Amino acid sequence: MPNMSMKKNEMPVQAPELRNKNFQEVALGYTTEQAIDEAQRCLNCKTKPCVSGCPVQIQIPAFIQQTVDGNFEAAFQIIAQTSSLPAVCGRVCPQESQCEKYCVRGIKGESVGIGRLERFVADWHNAQLDAKVEKPASNGHKVAIVGSGPAGLTCAGDLAKKGYEVTIFEALHLAGGVLVYGIPEFRLPKAIVQKEVNALKQLGVTINTNTVVGKSISVDELMEAGYEAIFIGSGAGLPRFMGVPGENLNGVYSANEFLTRINLMKSYQKDSNTPIMSIRKVAVVGGGNVAMDAARCAKRLGAEEVSIVYRRSENELPARKEEVEHAKEEGILFKLLSAPLEVLGDEKRFVKGLKCVAMELGDPDASGRRKPVEKVGSEFILDVDCVIAAIGTSPNPLIKSTTSGLETQKWGGIIVNEETGQTSKEGVFAGGDAVTGAATVILAMGAGKTAANGIDKYLMAKKQV
Amino acid sequence: MYTIQKKVELNPTVTLMEVQAPLVAKKAEPGQFIILRVDEDGERVPLTIADYDREKGTVTIIFQIVGASTTKLNHLKEGEAIHDFVGPLGVPTHTEGIKKVAIVGGGVGCAIAYPVAKKFHELGAVVHSIVGFRTKELVILEDEFQKVSDKYLLMTDDGSYGEKGLVTNALKALLDAGEKYDEVVAIGPMIMMKFVSQLTKEYNVKTMVSMNPVMIDGTGMCGGCRLTVGGKTKFACVDGPEFDGHQVDFDEAMARAGFYRGFERHAHDEACNLFKKEVN
Ligand SMILES: Cc1cc2nc3c(=O)[nH]c(=O)nc-3n(C[C@H](O)[C@H](O)[C@H](O)COP(=O)(O)OP(=O)(O)OC[C@H]3O[C@@H](n4cnc5c(N)ncnc54)[C@H](O)[C@@H]3O)c2cc1C
Ligand SMILES: Cc1cc2nc3c(=O)[nH]c(=O)nc-3n(C[C@H](O)[C@H](O)[C@H](O)COP(=O)(O)OP(=O)(O)OC[C@H]3O[C@@H](n4cnc5c(N)ncnc54)[C@H](O)[C@@H]3O)c2cc1C
Ligand code: SF4
Ligand code: FES
């Protein structure tokens, strides 16, 4: 008998006034009872609308039914057929605009908590004694992966399981991409990412950190060195700035710099060697996940007042709803329909304010969203000593400019065949943010899987001739 | 493992290290830099490639002990290893078509200027080196510079060695004496580079300066290293570190360089305490 409650089982969380002072995980995860109770809300629909909303088609009702029966390992294995990073995706996927958006239970009440169940099942699996992964027998073919974000990690894992000798080249000193330098600990504990990385090592994947492809070694040189195929998963790491006066004052950060100092370099810990300024009042410009993360980090660093400055209204905020709610609970202020005009500085060139203008929504633009227009004479000044620009990133031009015959879009995205991940250059594949521009973990992971299959088919076909 | 093959104290606050890093050595060119982390929790420290040996697979760095991380680095001994070492980063020095060059180095900046002078010398250009130090005991790389320079002028602020005066005085004297340079390369404290650039602007001599803003990743990902050149925002780590000195907004760059001064002291004090403990 299904559980006909209209509402999801609530996710246990750390209390807002506690958690906005620490970096521990906010959402604590379902207990076994809560998970089974939630799983019982699923109607096991024949048409599986939820599955069609999942970018990698996880067999959602199937894993949920196993969860109802308490077969958590079996549930995990169903997810693992199509997803390589369930513990990560269960935490950071925008389920409300994917699987849960299409869930039948969502028509009259709340959808099934699919993401929360995915997280529960993955955490349950991870908590069991580490089953030693066996390194598969080598098939003798070498593949290089550029970048260790979700796209690179997934592609590496899938190829290693097929017997390929895989080497990852990562520019930073730590593997994980945005999962380690961008998304904060309180949303995605770094131990979870580390576990995924360790599992790859057990599969025999070599990870060469401190290697900037295009500088330390180029894609063409990797091919000369005997790598028969190359996957580029270098992400979209180039920060965009606002283009307003005062942008280079001390106290203006890109979200990437602010988050990297905090997450990768651990500057929130007192004994960290990498400094971060002590902040009093902060304006975060932008309305996406990145802006929410930066704002919530700023609050945790002890800022008295943190405001999101976003030029459209609440309805258009691109961030996940859950993140917006969490931010509000933690005391983040929202200055909506406001756009920055100028960062104001003091005589020592430190930020002392952000001059903004109020906006109103006009006719829909190309994106279908109503276009914000300045309200004449509505300028106002926010009293802040730190401004964080979280207004987007694009792919780094380094790889394109150092690889012969690699075609990209005008804005830098690498052009690929969507079915195989193949680029314009023979033997070179790509996926994730490097192809799509800033997107999501699940899409990057999916692209890594697609390319792993593409690479396997390509190399096997080459072997035949 | 990035093992330290050789360690030499050049003066009481400047140390040279030869580090095993074959991949970096293979590609390194003058003007480029590396980023290192001394240990597992270390800060990412950018340092210029002072020299390299492609056959031995080593890269030489020369650093001034200024704070916590460089103090920790200086504690490592020959045979020990640096945790992370990535590079070569940045754009190499532009050398094409330059037949006569003045290299102006200030203080530890001479460590960055030396490989540039050497490269020009190897390419057959006429090299005039003007180096400046506060006082005699801080002088570094004297023999090395002399070997690669057609003219070598050493200045000290207090006159304890070489000529008394600033590098700009010496450069001005040369320019006034009718020396025609295709380019001046100035590397040292920001204020020195600013005044060299002001001077050469009057004489209309193209001038390159090597900017060293605070960096983190060194790959163009954070924008922390940004500066204004010719009215446009540039990232020193990928667009530089060398820029046209006549276009650089030095006042902004100097303000940005001082950003963390107030926030860094804590880490430095701790390292000093550590140091004291080890001495006891
Ligand atoms: C703050 C923040 C919060 C986010 N929150 C969410 C969320 O809640 N949900 C969600 O689904 N998505 C979120 N995203 C987006 C998501 O993280 C990305 O879409 C995803 O990580 C892209 O994966 P990727 O593998 O393509 O690239 P990345 O994760 O960017 O990894 C690329 C890797 O390649 C390395 N690299 C780059 N150039 C080179 C080179 N030349 N040589 C060697 N290595 C190189 C980089 O150092 C990096 O490690 C967020 C992003 C940010 C920044
Ligand atoms: C491209 C580049 C090349 C450089 N080459 C050399 C070199 O060859 N020899 C040398 O002695 N120094 C060089 N530097 C400067 C060197 O990186 C700093 O002295 C070092 O990071 C200081 O670290 P610290 O912890 O010991 O001192 P801290 O106490 O952290 O800082 C002392 C001062 O150093 C500067 N600094 C601190 N952190 C950084 C950082 N991450 N990046 C840049 N500057 C920083 C700041 O101005 C600070 O006020 C270079 C810097 C850059 C950007
Ligand atoms: S749509 Fe909702 S109720 Fe139906 S199978 Fe999917 S999760 Fe279960
Ligand atoms: S150091 Fe981060 S962009 Fe240059």
XYZ file of all heavy atoms in Angstrom, chain B residues 33 43-48 62-64 66-70 108 112 212-215 257 261 264, ligand 2:
240
model
N 56.928 31.058 -15.136
C 57.029 30.791 -13.704
C 56.406 29.449 -13.353
O 55.811 28.778 -14.202
C 56.377 31.926 -12.899
C 54.903 32.105 -13.145
C 53.960 31.593 -12.267
C 54.448 32.796 -14.264
C 52.598 31.764 -12.492
C 53.087 32.963 -14.497
C 52.165 32.447 -13.614
N 50.199 26.973 0.954
C 49.688 28.010 0.072
C 50.297 27.774 -1.309
O 51.378 27.214 -1.418
C 50.189 29.338 0.656
C 49.675 30.578 0.059
C 50.174 31.817 0.839
O 51.175 31.734 1.585
O 49.562 32.853 0.695
N 49.643 28.247 -2.351
C 50.222 28.140 -3.691
C 51.113 29.357 -3.921
O 50.646 30.481 -3.958
C 49.113 28.067 -4.743
C 48.309 26.771 -4.678
C 47.142 26.771 -5.649
N 47.564 26.763 -7.043
C 47.727 25.658 -7.774
N 47.513 24.473 -7.236
N 48.106 25.741 -9.024
N 52.406 29.115 -4.065
C 53.379 30.206 -4.157
C 53.939 30.282 -5.578
O 54.562 29.337 -6.062
C 54.553 29.977 -3.174
C 55.555 31.112 -3.282
C 54.036 29.836 -1.760
N 53.750 31.398 -6.284
C 54.334 31.550 -7.612
C 55.794 32.005 -7.530
O 56.116 32.917 -6.773
C 53.468 32.639 -8.267
C 52.833 33.387 -7.158
C 52.894 32.555 -5.921
N 56.676 31.376 -8.292
C 58.082 31.776 -8.356
C 58.563 31.654 -9.797
O 58.187 30.716 -10.515
C 58.950 30.879 -7.455
C 58.701 30.992 -5.944
C 59.462 29.900 -5.209
C 59.091 32.360 -5.408
N 59.391 32.588 -10.195
C 59.880 32.598 -11.566
C 60.887 31.479 -11.792
O 61.624 31.101 -10.878
C 60.549 33.949 -11.848
O 59.611 34.957 -11.522
C 60.960 34.082 -13.297
N 64.706 30.943 -7.390
C 65.429 31.801 -6.455
C 64.375 32.615 -5.725
O 63.568 33.289 -6.364
C 66.399 32.729 -7.201
C 67.449 31.890 -7.946
C 67.062 33.701 -6.232
C 68.441 32.710 -8.752
N 64.342 32.497 -4.406
C 63.253 33.181 -3.715
C 63.748 33.960 -2.515
O 64.750 33.626 -1.889
C 62.188 32.183 -3.263
C 62.704 31.100 -2.353
C 62.654 31.238 -0.978
C 63.253 29.943 -2.896
C 63.147 30.236 -0.147
C 63.742 28.940 -2.070
C 63.686 29.083 -0.693
N 62.996 35.017 -2.243
C 63.280 35.835 -1.076
C 62.381 35.360 0.053
O 61.199 35.084 -0.159
C 62.974 37.289 -1.407
C 63.328 38.226 -0.287
C 63.378 39.660 -0.793
O 62.672 40.013 -1.735
N 64.194 40.473 -0.173
N 60.096 36.088 2.626
C 59.320 37.258 3.018
C 58.190 36.926 3.976
O 57.726 37.788 4.711
C 58.712 37.987 1.798
C 59.789 38.650 0.977
C 57.883 37.048 0.950
N 57.720 35.693 3.974
C 56.568 35.381 4.811
C 56.538 33.913 5.172
O 57.542 33.209 5.063
N 55.360 33.445 5.570
C 55.217 32.094 6.102
C 55.656 31.032 5.092
O 56.433 30.142 5.415
C 53.769 31.862 6.516
N 55.156 31.133 3.866
C 55.401 30.052 2.913
C 56.847 30.004 2.451
O 57.426 28.925 2.321
C 54.482 30.194 1.704
O 53.151 30.138 2.137
N 57.426 31.173 2.202
C 58.822 31.166 1.769
C 59.736 30.774 2.934
O 60.789 30.173 2.714
C 59.236 32.526 1.173
O 58.687 33.579 1.955
C 58.727 32.663 -0.252
N 65.575 41.168 -5.390
C 65.355 39.772 -5.753
C 64.823 39.670 -7.177
O 64.882 38.622 -7.809
C 64.430 39.068 -4.733
C 63.003 39.535 -4.913
C 64.546 37.568 -4.854
N 64.738 37.098 -11.402
C 63.813 36.945 -12.513
C 64.437 37.528 -13.773
O 64.222 37.039 -14.876
C 62.475 37.660 -12.182
C 61.997 37.239 -10.796
C 61.443 37.394 -13.256
C 60.722 37.913 -10.338
N 54.115 40.795 -10.662
C 53.872 39.637 -9.799
C 52.791 39.874 -8.757
O 53.046 39.947 -7.576
C 55.160 39.137 -9.150
C 55.998 40.278 -8.639
O 55.515 41.406 -8.530
N 57.226 40.014 -8.293
N 51.558 39.962 -9.234
C 50.424 40.125 -8.313
C 50.174 38.835 -7.539
O 50.728 37.785 -7.876
C 49.261 40.406 -9.252
C 49.626 39.705 -10.510
C 51.109 39.836 -10.623
N 49.345 38.927 -6.523
C 48.967 37.735 -5.769
C 48.232 36.782 -6.711
O 47.375 37.183 -7.477
C 48.062 38.131 -4.593
C 47.537 36.893 -3.884
C 48.829 39.013 -3.619
N 48.632 35.521 -6.660
C 48.021 34.515 -7.536
C 47.513 33.344 -6.716
O 47.983 33.112 -5.603
C 49.056 33.985 -8.525
C 49.492 35.004 -9.547
S 50.552 34.247 -10.779
C 50.792 35.638 -11.869
N 48.609 44.656 -4.596
C 49.677 43.856 -4.001
C 49.623 43.941 -2.475
O 50.051 43.031 -1.773
C 51.031 44.324 -4.512
N 48.166 42.280 3.106
C 49.187 42.576 4.092
C 48.623 42.466 5.516
O 49.225 41.870 6.375
C 49.778 43.964 3.850
C 51.288 43.981 4.005
C 51.923 45.101 3.208
N 52.348 44.685 1.889
C 52.481 45.523 0.857
N 52.196 46.800 0.988
N 52.896 45.074 -0.303
N 47.624 38.661 6.526
C 48.605 37.586 6.383
C 49.487 37.481 7.624
O 50.082 36.449 7.878
C 49.478 37.868 5.161
C 50.314 36.732 4.687
C 49.811 36.198 3.342
O 49.597 36.994 2.419
O 49.632 34.983 3.252
C 54.613 35.464 -11.460
C 55.323 35.653 -10.140
C 56.669 35.383 -10.055
C 57.361 35.551 -8.849
N 58.678 35.240 -8.825
C 59.353 35.357 -7.664
C 60.725 34.978 -7.581
O 61.315 34.509 -8.541
N 61.368 35.132 -6.402
C 60.712 35.625 -5.298
O 61.341 35.742 -4.252
N 59.421 35.959 -5.337
C 58.718 35.843 -6.486
N 57.383 36.164 -6.508
C 56.734 36.624 -5.267
C 56.400 35.429 -4.372
O 55.422 34.645 -4.957
C 55.914 35.890 -2.986
O 56.977 36.532 -2.370
C 55.493 34.726 -2.100
O 54.267 34.207 -2.534
C 55.340 35.172 -0.676
O 54.794 34.125 0.132
P 55.005 34.119 1.696
O 53.933 33.256 2.286
O 56.370 33.751 2.047
O 54.787 35.593 2.147
P 53.466 36.276 2.614
O 53.586 36.663 4.031
O 52.326 35.388 2.217
O 53.393 37.543 1.698
C 54.370 38.529 1.588
C 54.019 39.334 0.365
O 54.175 38.520 -0.797
C 53.124 38.704 -1.729
N 52.374 37.455 -1.932
C 51.787 36.667 -1.005
N 51.159 35.610 -1.518
C 51.330 35.696 -2.836
C 50.895 34.897 -3.923
N 50.158 33.784 -3.784
N 51.243 35.308 -5.145
C 51.999 36.410 -5.335
N 52.441 37.207 -4.338
C 52.111 36.868 -3.110
C 52.244 39.751 -1.156
O 52.559 40.987 -1.752
C 52.557 39.761 0.309
O 52.341 41.013 0.863
C 56.675 36.000 -7.700
C 55.310 36.270 -7.789
C 54.630 36.104 -8.992
C 53.159 36.365 -9.072
